[in-house]
Amino acid sequence: TDPRISRKHLNVLFDPQNGRVVFRDLRSSHGVIINGKKLSAGEELVMAADSAPLVVLADTAAAFILRLG
């Protein structure tokens, strides 16, 4: 576990109608980086559901993979 990741750090919403995923920084103290882009506090980033971005929360990185079907 990474103690710098808060319980309310990032919101991820899937829009099945448009095949999009919305990532929203929940005003985290240590930031959110998606594919190298640092999100500002409260900023949203919309991506295709099949894009499999690299998500970094504080010092922890993970690939976000959405499997449909």
Side-chain angles (χ1 to χ4, degrees):
T1 62
D2 185 336
R4 294 175 20 138
I5 298 175
S6 63
R7 291 189 305 188
K8 294 183 179 180
H9 203 103
L10 174 71
N11 191 330
V12 181
L13 299 171
F14 173 58
D15 180 356
Q17 194 169 36
N18 295 316
R20 301 271 186 231
V21 177
V22 179
F23 296 90
R24 181 182 305 132
D25 181 317
L26 297 178
R27 302 191 183 284
S28 61
S29 298
H30 300 289
V32 174
I33 300 171
I34 299 177
N35 285 347
K37 180 188 184 327
K38 182 171 176 48
L39 299 185
S40 299
E43 183 178 1
E44 291 185 352
L45 181 64
V46 180
M47 304 183 82
D50 61 356
S51 62
L54 179 65
V55 177
V56 179
L57 306 176
D59 293 325
T60 301
F64 182 86
I65 301 171
L66 181 63
R67 298 206 187 270
L68 304 173

